[in-house]
């Protein structure tokens, strides 16, 4: 249609659709709750567009009616998407976990405001437990949920790091007497205020300090540095060193003041694009190729043992070099990849041991019956491990339940073996039990639907 002759209602609808398109990006990245101010702003903006669409006169023309309906449907879709994100079970789970953080901080933070309050084990362990639970929250691949989880993770992780610094230092020691130099009293005074600022920062990160803001705290910390820089400590090495320690303590707190801005960048919370995750996934792909090649081989595993094992050790070395930063999700992704590699290595080792035992034939000195029984179970475990390595299902699958049952039966078979005082059999059975439990744990890990 010639734009010069386009109906005014169509032009108005197109303009509204352009505004809706801009709002769509905000809806897609929204990671908050229904009670948040940003939610209400987005909802109001979308509702306003809906009213404007409804106010457009179609003059009974079919093409305008269809265009208006399409525009209405799009706005209603975004409103539903916004509501769905804010009330998603995973989002509510993240919020519930963060409320536990708030309760823990509110309960434990009081003594820190005094400057020399010690960090309790309950506080430290509580934060660590919460971090682990956050890494297990599912995001279903939704960017908004990843963003919500990442923002919460970074705050809790920051709290953990601040607590760890407190435990290492138990607040900077005050090694010099105020009589040693006129500046000591001032440095001691600033250090006391820094301790209070640290407690304020923890409370701010947990969202339980309504009287403080990141901007104000940044100004306060900058003021402390200015006060310390103004002190004349020339010619006094000990005093200058002490001042330097306090300045470094202040600078260590600044990095936590930019977390809110950092959480808005997609590269931060969409870990599928994270360089460390990309490295881990590349290594896992190489592992999958090695594993497929290995499992296709029916016999003669020992013939490819050295080369394959060398490749696998190389993969572990590469995983060790992956930078995990402060994100526990990346750390967990690397840990799981290492476990996957180690599972293949143990499969090769047992296969090789079984083949070597088979090739030797009957031993010169008869083995203890219990030792023979343990090796029989290990043979069964090797076959089950092969199935576990290739398993790619869920816990609800019949094959999962079958494998779990068979592995449990092997554990029961090991428990029933009486070593009759034979030390060699006792050690072999203990190792076999550990091996069977490791296979069960690996099967659980493969099916726990963890995601980064």
């Amino acid at each position: 249609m010639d734009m010069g002759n386009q109906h005014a209602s169509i032009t108005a609808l197109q303009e509204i659709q352009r505004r809706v398109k801009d709002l769509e990006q905000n809806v897609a990245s929204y990671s908050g709750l229904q009670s948040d101010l940003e939610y209400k702003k987005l909802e109001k903006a979308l509702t306003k567009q809906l009213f404007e669409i409804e106010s457009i006169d179609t003059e009974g023309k079919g093409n305008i009616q269809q265009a208006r309906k399409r525009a209405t449907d799009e706005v209603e879709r975004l409103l539903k998407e916004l509501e769905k994100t804010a009330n998603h079970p995973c989002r509510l789970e993240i919020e519930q976990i963060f409320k536990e953080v708030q309760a823990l901080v509110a309960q434990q933070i009081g003594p820190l405001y005094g400057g020399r309050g010690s960090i309790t084990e309950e506080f430290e362990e509580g934060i660590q437990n919460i971090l682990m639970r956050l890494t297990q929250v599912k995001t279903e691949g939704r960017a908004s949920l990843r963003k919500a989880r990442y923002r919460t993770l970074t705050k809790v992780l920051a709290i953990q790091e601040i607590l760890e610094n407190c435990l290492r230092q138990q607040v900077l020691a005050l090694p010099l007497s105020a009589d040693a130099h006129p500046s000591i009293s001032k440095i001691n005074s600033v250090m006391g205020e820094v301790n209070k600022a640290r407690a304020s920062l923890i409370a701010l990160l947990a969202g339980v300090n309504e009287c403080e803001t990141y901007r104000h705290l940044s100004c306060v910390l900058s003021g402390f540095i200015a006060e310390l820089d103004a002190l004349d400590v020339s010619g006094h090495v000990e005093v200058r060193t002490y001042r330097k320690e306090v300045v470094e303590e202040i600078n260590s707190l600044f990095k936590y003041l930019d977390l809110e801005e950092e959480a808005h960048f997609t590269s931060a919370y969409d870990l599928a694009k994270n360089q460390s995750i990309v490295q881990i996934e590349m290594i896992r792909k190489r592992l999958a190729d090695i594993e497929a090649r290995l499992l296709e081989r029916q016999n003669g595993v020992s013939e490819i043992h050295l080369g394959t094992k060398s490749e696998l050790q190389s993969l572990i070395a590469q995983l060790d070099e992956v930078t995990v930063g402060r994100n526990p999700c990346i750390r967990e992704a690397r840990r799981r990849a290492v476990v996957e590699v180690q599972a293949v290595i143990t499969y090769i080792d047992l296969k090789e041991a079984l083949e070597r035992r088979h090739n030797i034939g009957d031993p010169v000195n008869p083995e203890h019956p219990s030792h023979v029984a343990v090796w029989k179970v290990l043979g069964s475990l090797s076959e089950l491990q092969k199935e576990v390595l290739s398993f790619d299902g869920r816990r609800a699958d019949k094959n999962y339940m079958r494998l779990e049952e068979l592995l449990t039966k092997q554990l029961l078979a090991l428990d029933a073996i009486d070593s009759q005082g034979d030390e060699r059999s006792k050690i072999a059975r203990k190792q076999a039990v550990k091996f069977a439990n490791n296979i069960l744990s690996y099967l659980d890990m493969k099916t726990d639907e963890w995601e980064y």
Side-chain angles (χ1 to χ4, degrees):
M1 179 184 290
D2 184 358
M3 292 298 292
N5 297 324
Q6 183 170 271
H7 196 284
S9 295
I10 294 292
T11 302
L13 282 169
Q14 289 175 343
E15 178 57 34
I16 292 172
Q17 286 176 311
R18 277 193 287 271
R19 293 198 293 269
V20 171
K21 194 70 177 174
D22 292 336
L23 289 171
E24 183 179 15
Q25 296 177 3
N26 295 331
V27 171
S29 63
Y30 182 71
S31 62
L33 301 166
Q34 205 163 5
S35 58
D36 293 351
L37 181 62
E38 183 63 26
Y39 179 95
K40 298 184 186 305
K41 285 182 179 179
L42 277 172
E43 184 181 44
K44 183 178 179 180
L46 288 167
T47 303
K48 180 182 177 183
Q49 302 309 313
L50 204 56
F51 286 150
E52 289 190 19
I53 292 169
E54 290 174 356
S55 69
I56 290 177
D57 184 8
T58 65
E59 299 177 5
K61 295 183 177 180
N63 64 326
I64 301 178
Q65 289 175 341
Q66 290 176 2
R68 190 173 73 171
K69 185 178 184 307
R70 285 194 298 270
T72 299
D73 289 346
E74 178 60 15
V75 176
E76 289 179 344
R77 181 187 69 80
L78 291 178
L79 281 166
K80 288 179 182 177
E81 182 67 23
L82 181 64
E83 183 181 5
K84 183 179 178 181
T85 295
N87 293 292
H88 194 284
C90 296
R91 181 63 187 89
L92 298 179
E93 182 183 358
I94 293 169
E95 183 61 18
Q96 181 57 43
I97 294 174
F98 190 61
K99 283 182 179 178
E100 293 179 30
V101 176
Q102 293 177 317
L104 185 62
V105 169
Q107 179 187 11
Q108 299 281 342
I109 199 66
L112 294 181
Y113 279 110
R116 281 192 170 275
S118 60
I119 306 299
T120 65
E121 287 186 9
E122 181 186 0
F123 198 178
E124 185 186 16
E125 290 175 3
I127 292 296
Q128 179 61 36
N129 178 55
I130 285 168
L131 271 173
M132 291 304 299
R133 286 168 56 201
L134 278 170
T135 63
Q136 299 299 323
V137 174
K138 305 291 186 289
T139 63
E140 299 178 359
R142 296 166 65 98
S144 56
L145 293 176
R146 283 178 174 172
K147 184 176 180 180
R149 185 180 66 174
Y150 177 81
R151 294 180 71 172
T152 306
L153 269 172
T154 51
K155 289 180 180 180
V156 180
L157 192 61
I159 292 172
Q160 184 191 48
E161 286 187 353
I162 295 170
L163 293 180
E164 286 176 351
N165 288 337
C166 287
L167 287 169
R168 279 197 298 268
Q169 302 172 2
Q170 276 303 324
V171 184
L172 283 179
L174 305 179
L176 302 179
S177 166
D179 299 331
H181 191 275
S183 298
I184 294 295
S185 294
K186 182 61 179 177
I187 299 175
N188 289 350
S189 174
V190 170
M191 190 61 231
E193 293 302 313
V194 170
N195 294 333
K196 294 178 183 178
R198 185 192 294 110
S200 293
L201 177 57
I202 291 175
L204 186 60
L205 289 165
V208 295
N209 189 347
E210 298 179 356
C211 301
E212 186 62 273
T213 64
Y214 289 103
R215 183 184 294 275
H216 177 257
L217 191 56
S218 177
C219 292
V220 169
L221 293 174
S222 297
F224 291 156
I225 290 180
E227 289 181 42
L228 293 171
D229 285 345
L231 296 176
D232 182 10
V233 294
S234 56
H236 297 271
V237 177
E238 288 184 334
V239 180
R240 189 163 61 246
T241 300
Y242 179 37
R243 182 181 68 173
K244 180 182 177 183
E245 289 177 347
V246 178
V247 169
E248 287 175 350
E249 175 66 11
I250 296 171
N251 285 329
S252 72
L253 300 178
F254 273 108
K255 66 179 180 180
Y256 303 113
L257 301 179
D258 298 325
L259 293 180
E260 284 296 304
E261 290 183 13
E262 177 188 332
H264 288 291
F265 294 106
T266 307
S267 58
Y269 60 82
D270 190 357
L271 293 184
K273 300 175 182 177
N274 181 277
Q275 188 57 41
S276 295
I277 290 293
V278 170
Q279 285 180 267
I280 292 171
E281 288 303 318
M282 287 176 63
I283 293 170
R284 291 184 70 231
K285 186 176 183 302
R286 288 178 58 193
L287 172 64
D289 293 338
I290 295 171
E291 190 177 292
R293 189 172 72 238
L294 185 65
L295 296 179
E296 284 176 2
R297 198 176 185 93
Q298 298 297 322
N299 297 300
V301 171
S302 58
E303 295 175 13
I304 61 169
H305 169 258
L306 290 176
T308 303
K309 195 168 182 179
S310 177
E311 282 185 84
L312 293 169
Q313 294 290 0
S314 172
L315 295 185
I316 288 181
Q318 291 173 46
L319 285 167
D320 287 342
E321 293 175 0
V322 172
T323 303
V324 297
R326 293 169 28 238
N327 194 314
C329 287
I330 301 176
R331 193 179 303 132
E332 176 65 6
R334 184 178 68 175
R335 184 195 72 80
R336 294 168 78 93
V338 169
V339 171
E340 288 176 333
V341 178
Q342 289 173 337
V344 179
I345 291 175
T346 57
Y347 171 74
I348 293 174
D349 286 345
L350 180 57
K351 269 291 185 185
E352 185 188 39
L354 288 165
E355 287 183 11
R356 188 166 56 245
R357 179 179 172 82
H358 175 75
N359 293 334
I360 290 174
D362 296 330
V364 177
N365 298 318
E367 289 183 288
H368 194 281
S370 59
H371 195 254
V372 175
V374 170
W375 273 102
K376 184 178 179 181
V377 174
L378 283 170
S380 299
L381 286 173
S382 178
E383 293 305 313
L384 288 172
Q385 188 184 24
K386 182 177 181 179
E387 289 192 59
V388 170
L389 287 172
S390 60
F391 181 75
D392 190 25
R394 297 172 178 270
R395 290 186 182 178
D397 295 351
K398 289 183 179 179
N399 198 30
Y400 171 87
M401 291 182 274
R402 182 185 68 82
L403 286 169
E404 187 179 43
E405 182 181 354
L406 290 173
L407 286 165
T408 303
K409 283 183 177 179
Q410 298 307 314
L411 278 169
L412 292 173
L414 288 168
D415 286 341
I417 295 174
D418 183 3
S419 64
Q420 299 176 350
D422 184 71
E423 193 63 27
R424 188 182 177 200
S425 299
K426 192 183 296 184
I427 294 172
R429 187 181 66 176
K430 184 178 179 181
Q431 291 175 336
V433 168
K434 182 179 179 181
F435 184 71
N437 281 321
N438 285 345
I439 299 174
L440 270 170
S441 297
Y442 183 62
L443 179 61
D444 284 341
M445 190 192 82
K446 288 191 75 171
T447 55
D448 65 6
E449 298 181 17
W450 183 83
E451 59 180 30
Y452 48 75

